[in-house]
Amino acid sequence: MKKTIAFVTTLIIIAYGVLAYFEVFNTITFFGETDSITLRIAGDRNFPPYEYIDEHGEYIGFNVDIIRAIALSTGINVQFYPMEWQETSEKLQAKEVDVIQGIKITKEREKYYDFSDAYLENSQSIFVLMDTEIEKLEDLSFQRVAIQQGDVAITNLKALWEVKIIFTSDQEEAMRKLLVGEVDAYIGNTLTGAFLINQLGVRNQVKIVGEMLNPSKYAVAVARGDVYTQHIINKGLKEIKRNGTYDKIYRKWFGQPLQFPSWYKRKIIATIGIAISSLLIMILFLYRWNSSLKKEVEKQTYEIQEVNKILIGQNKEISREKDFREKILQNIFIAVVTINKEGRISFVNQLAYQLLGSQEEGRLVGNPYRETLLEQLFSLDKLQEGKGEEEIYIQGEKRLLYYDIRTITNINGDMEEVILFFRDVTEERKLQETIRTKDKLQSLGNLVASIAHEIRNPLTSIKAYAELLPKKFNNTEFQKLFSTDIPLEIDRVNTLINDLLEYAKPRKPFRERIHLQSALNGVLTLLKNKIKQEKVHIENHIDEAIYIHMDKNHLRQVLLNMILNAIESMDKEKKKITFSAEIRDKKILLNIKDNGCGIDEDSIHKIYNPFYTTKSNGTGLGLFVTFQLLAENGVALSYESALQEGTIFTLTFTREGEDFIAEAINC
């Protein structure tokens, strides 16, 4: 028992000795030969309450007081240089100043600066007017948002849709733009925004919404490699925190201390020491219970071993499942590559190696993607989602790759992994071109009768003039009619032939501004004979003011296919095709309606499949080619149909400015 009391007493003495040591250590003051040093301090000229020029022209603020306190504690001299915020980094990198006072620590900035110890936790908020419907960050899509030039909040806004970003020189300018309605919201430093609200007296007009953004540590920045200046700043910060100066400055500008005062810390440490001592005494008493608990411990140990066996079995099952999933990825028909957030390749399946070339095998996994062929082939500059096509050469043969880049994010919205899917679509594109050519040939056959009729009319006129020419060669009136009519008829024939050649010639889409009603009338003219033979009534309700952007030959073929398809679907006496267009939101919708037989439920999902048709003499290529042509021009195609009532096909274009630009769809 005496040994136990002596042991406890010794522990208590050691604990109080450690406390005494830290107490003495905390009283050490930094001394050095720094009286002759003058540091040039850069800071924002208008960033209250951190740093700003007041109405008397004095440079004041929380950061200014911190730097002055550091200067007093270390014996250095400081000279302040207020400037626009975006200038501070340029001045420091050019070594025109030695320090940037008060700056958020980010990974990007760590590439250019070294930082002191952090002395503040900082965050940003969304500021809006009281009567706004904006409640969170996602509501800023399609809104006008102000941020200070160079602010890290640009990262938050880039993740949203169609945000109009307005840059300001400082946060006060952003607040004033919000108050006069030039912007719908602004993002800025939380404490600065609260300070401006009080200073401008707009507490009843402005509110903060959503969660805090970009929480980060706040420190002093020095030039990369300037260890000496960094050492001085850190020593000064430790001293002003130890002697309570930091707490006073914080209360002066923000109203409450960031951390507990030194005496409170000492009291907490002493309390912890007493608690530890009491805990040790309890442990000594509990030691006597050890024998009675031994059997219970053995029992628990046995149970733990059993649990471990179960966990080992589960781990093996998880491992088998992981291997099974990897085998699936290795054997699927699409190439897969994954890249982690550090930019290193973490997985490559066998098909990816085959498509990239055997020389890439063994040098992909584990390496930065920028050092591999992936950087040259695909749009991976910012590891963002996207899709497209790239041409590469595999064993000297040109191949076309279609790729799709997807990102995986964690619960906080931060990117964890990038997945790159790609596949060889060379043969697929060739097949599509072959199908399109067959469809054009079929369409040409349907046009022959109409075009022949159109050509026969001017040829008849030319023949009549040619027969009268010997008899009326000297007739002045005949000469006048001859010189007027014959060129017009020849031009008419030439135009028909040129249109036919231009329609038949395959090429990539060339989008241009097209008058929709004129384009439709041109197609109806080509099909005039077919429409007349089938006794189809045409109604055209398209406004003359509507223009679209599309390849004119593709538009002609689409309209030809859809009109011929509509004619063939009608077996009634009163056949009718109606064309109409409407503007809805930022889109124009072209509707083609027939009163034909409609499409049954079994066929409705197959109408775009190549070679699928319910007609006895059809090829099943018309709607497939139509869909492909519209997709190439970025035009969406949808339909509504009912048996024995007819079908409505709708082509959807997106409006931009005064023109109509095709809306891209995923095909």
Side-chain angles (χ1 to χ4, degrees):
M1 187 64 181
K2 290 181 179 180
K3 290 182 179 180
T4 301
I5 294 173
F7 176 69
V8 173
T9 304
T10 302
L11 288 177
I12 294 173
I13 292 172
I14 291 172
Y16 277 106
V18 172
L19 292 174
Y21 168 77
F22 281 111
E23 184 66 27
V24 172
F25 180 78
N26 283 334
T27 60
I28 296 176
T29 306
F30 171 72
F31 292 101
E33 296 179 0
T34 55
D35 292 342
S36 60
I37 296 175
T38 299
L39 295 181
R40 298 165 296 175
I41 312 297
D44 197 330
R45 66 191 313 276
N46 190 15
F47 188 44
Y50 292 88
E51 49 204 31
Y52 64 102
I53 299 173
D54 67 5
E55 64 273 12
H56 304 298
E58 295 184 7
Y59 194 45
I60 61 174
F62 173 71
N63 290 334
V64 177
D65 285 355
I66 290 293
I67 293 297
R68 284 176 175 157
I70 290 172
L72 288 174
S73 67
T74 58
I76 63 172
N77 298 314
V78 294
Q79 188 171 358
F80 293 97
Y81 290 87
M83 59 187 72
E84 296 296 332
W85 176 245
Q86 60 268 26
E87 296 179 34
T88 57
S89 60
E90 299 172 3
K91 298 291 185 183
L92 182 58
Q93 293 182 39
K95 296 188 177 179
E96 296 180 20
V97 296
D98 304 300
V99 167
I100 298 177
Q101 62 172 6
I103 186 171
K104 295 175 185 175
I105 301 176
T106 65
K107 289 183 178 179
E108 183 64 25
R109 288 171 175 169
E110 285 176 341
K111 298 177 183 177
Y112 307 103
Y113 316 126
D114 286 335
F115 293 93
S116 70
D117 296 334
Y119 63 88
L120 189 67
E121 286 284 345
N122 221 332
S123 67
Q124 292 183 304
S125 293
I126 304 170
F127 295 85
V128 297
L129 296 177
M130 284 291 186
D131 57 354
T132 187
E133 296 181 357
I134 297 172
E135 295 295 339
K136 55 185 181 299
L137 179 65
E138 290 74 13
D139 295 341
L140 297 181
S141 294
F142 306 102
Q143 304 294 332
R144 302 165 299 169
V145 181
I147 62 171
Q148 186 174 354
Q149 186 76 33
D151 198 294
V152 296
I154 188 69
T155 305
N156 303 93
L157 296 177
K158 283 184 176 179
L160 302 176
W161 287 92
E162 300 294 333
V163 179
K164 183 177 182 181
I165 302 174
I166 300 174
F167 293 103
T168 62
S169 59
D170 52 52
Q171 201 161 325
E172 182 177 351
E173 182 185 351
M175 175 70 80
R176 294 189 183 277
K177 285 184 178 293
L178 175 65
L179 291 171
V180 298
E182 293 184 17
V183 297
D184 304 301
Y186 90 86
I187 299 178
N189 184 277
T190 304
L191 294 174
T192 300
F195 180 88
L196 289 171
I197 288 172
N198 290 328
Q199 188 182 55
L200 298 175
V202 292
R203 183 180 295 274
N204 295 327
Q205 299 180 45
V206 180
K207 64 180 180 180
I208 296 176
V209 297
E211 298 180 353
M212 294 296 181
L213 305 176
N214 306 319
S216 59
K217 295 190 179 298
Y218 201 61
V220 174
V222 300
R224 192 75 171 166
D226 189 357
V227 179
Y228 184 68
T229 303
Q230 184 186 36
H231 177 70
I232 292 174
I233 298 297
N234 283 338
K235 285 292 185 180
L237 281 171
K238 288 179 181 178
E239 175 59 20
I240 66 174
K241 286 186 176 182
R242 188 198 68 80
N243 61 29
T245 303
Y246 178 87
D247 294 341
K248 294 177 182 177
I249 295 173
Y250 190 92
R251 282 194 296 272
K252 171 184 175 182
W253 293 101
F254 302 128
Q256 60 180 2
L258 181 65
Q259 55 188 358
F260 295 113
S262 300
W263 65 265
Y264 191 81
K265 289 182 180 178
R266 291 195 295 272
K267 183 176 179 181
I268 293 297
I269 293 172
T271 303
I272 292 172
I274 295 171
I276 291 172
S277 300
S278 302
L279 182 61
L280 289 172
I281 294 171
M282 290 177 65
I283 291 172
L284 291 174
F285 282 108
L286 291 173
Y287 180 77
R288 296 182 177 181
W289 295 352
N290 181 62
S291 59
S292 62
L293 295 176
K294 187 175 181 180
K295 292 182 180 180
E296 184 66 26
V297 170
E298 290 175 352
K299 179 182 176 183
Q300 294 293 334
T301 302
Y302 173 77
E303 292 178 355
I304 290 173
Q305 290 174 347
E306 292 299 315
V307 171
N308 285 338
K309 290 179 182 179
I310 295 173
L311 292 176
I312 291 171
Q314 290 178 345
N315 288 336
K316 289 181 180 179
E317 185 65 29
I318 292 171
S319 179
R320 284 195 294 268
E321 185 177 346
K322 181 180 178 182
D323 292 341
F324 177 70
R325 290 180 180 177
E326 186 167 335
K327 287 179 182 178
I328 293 175
L329 290 175
Q330 290 289 3
N331 291 281
I332 61 176
F333 66 93
I334 193 167
V336 180
V337 176
T338 62
I339 303 170
N340 61 27
K341 59 184 177 183
E342 285 77 29
R344 292 186 177 274
I345 299 172
S346 55
F347 175 81
V348 181
N349 71 351
Q350 290 300 317
L351 183 57
Y353 280 125
Q354 293 174 17
L355 293 179
L356 295 175
S358 59
Q359 69 274 13
E360 291 295 314
E361 190 162 3
R363 61 181 297 268
L364 290 179
V365 176
N367 293 320
Y369 77 89
R370 294 186 183 277
E371 299 175 5
T372 67
L373 186 63
L374 295 175
E375 170 70 5
Q376 304 170 24
L377 292 178
F378 307 111
S379 302
L380 296 172
D381 293 342
K382 297 181 180 179
L383 293 180
Q384 293 180 344
E385 293 190 349
K387 60 183 65 176
E389 294 181 348
E390 290 288 345
E391 290 184 347
I392 67 171
Y393 285 86
I394 301 175
Q395 298 179 350
E397 182 181 1
K398 185 169 74 171
R399 311 297 292 177
L400 182 64
L401 296 184
Y402 172 81
Y403 67 88
D404 191 347
I405 303 169
R406 304 293 178 90
T407 60
I408 299 176
T409 57
N410 59 23
I411 194 171
N412 297 321
D414 300 323
M415 187 193 74
E416 289 289 334
E417 199 102 14
V418 172
I419 304 179
L420 168 63
F421 303 97
F422 57 99
R423 60 188 177 91
D424 188 342
V425 295
T426 309
E427 299 304 325
E428 182 180 326
R429 291 293 181 270
K430 289 180 180 178
L431 178 61
Q432 289 176 359
E433 192 60 41
T434 301
I435 291 173
R436 187 178 303 166
T437 302
K438 289 182 179 179
D439 179 71
K440 280 193 172 185
L441 292 175
Q442 184 189 27
S443 298
L444 283 172
N446 292 324
L447 290 175
V448 166
S450 296
I451 293 175
H453 178 76
E454 290 298 320
I455 293 177
R456 190 176 290 114
N457 288 336
L459 288 179
T460 301
S461 299
I462 293 172
K463 180 180 178 181
Y465 274 107
E467 291 174 348
L468 293 173
L469 186 61
K471 300 177 181 179
K472 298 187 177 184
F473 182 78
N474 295 321
N475 188 312
T476 304
E477 185 65 25
F478 176 80
Q479 292 177 357
K480 183 177 179 181
L481 292 172
F482 184 91
S483 60
T484 301
D485 293 342
I486 293 299
L488 290 176
E489 297 298 336
I490 292 173
D491 287 343
R492 183 178 173 187
V493 173
N494 188 52
T495 299
L496 286 170
I497 293 172
N498 285 337
D499 286 346
L500 183 62
L501 291 174
E502 188 176 10
Y503 165 73
K505 182 173 62 177
R507 60 178 176 81
K508 292 183 178 180
F510 174 74
R511 292 166 60 194
E512 56 185 302
R513 193 168 186 261
I514 301 173
H515 185 240
L516 184 56
Q517 190 181 76
S518 297
L520 176 60
N521 289 337
V523 173
L524 292 174
T525 299
L526 289 175
L527 295 174
K528 181 172 64 176
N529 193 37
K530 177 78 171 178
I531 293 170
K532 185 177 180 181
Q533 288 178 356
E534 297 292 336
K535 299 179 180 180
V536 179
H537 176 63
I538 301 294
E539 291 186 3
N540 187 350
H541 302 299
I542 297 176
D543 195 312
E544 292 186 357
I546 294 179
Y547 288 80
I548 62 171
H549 270 72
M550 187 173 172
D551 185 291
K552 64 180 181 181
N553 290 322
H554 288 179
L555 178 62
R556 183 183 292 118
Q557 185 173 352
V558 166
L559 293 174
L560 279 169
N561 286 350
M562 300 195 76
I563 294 171
L564 289 172
N565 194 64
I567 292 174
E568 292 171 1
S569 71
M570 293 184 292
D571 54 4
K572 302 177 180 180
E573 293 185 3
K574 295 183 179 180
K575 302 177 183 178
K576 183 172 71 171
I577 302 177
T578 304
F579 300 89
S580 62
E582 59 177 308
I583 298 174
R584 187 183 302 166
D585 297 330
K586 294 184 178 181
K587 298 178 181 179
I588 179 170
L589 279 67
L590 171 60
N591 299 310
I592 303 174
K593 179 181 179 182
D594 65 64
N595 63 344
C597 60
I599 307 171
D600 60 58
E601 293 184 0
D602 293 335
S603 304
I604 196 76
H605 302 297
K606 304 176 185 177
I607 60 173
Y608 295 142
N609 293 350
F611 305 110
Y612 177 80
T613 180
T614 57
K615 306 168 190 174
S616 58
N617 59 345
T619 65
L621 297 177
L623 281 178
F624 172 75
V625 172
T626 296
F627 180 82
Q628 293 294 325
L629 290 175
L630 291 174
E632 286 185 13
N633 287 269
V635 182
L637 178 62
S638 58
Y639 56 85
E640 295 180 13
S641 184
L643 282 176
Q644 307 307 321
E645 293 185 12
T647 304
I648 303 175
F649 281 94
T650 302
L651 284 66
T652 303
F653 304 82
T654 300
R655 184 178 186 181
E656 185 175 307
E658 296 300 323
D659 299 326
F660 290 92
I661 307 300
E663 180 183 36
I665 63 171
N666 181 7
C667 64

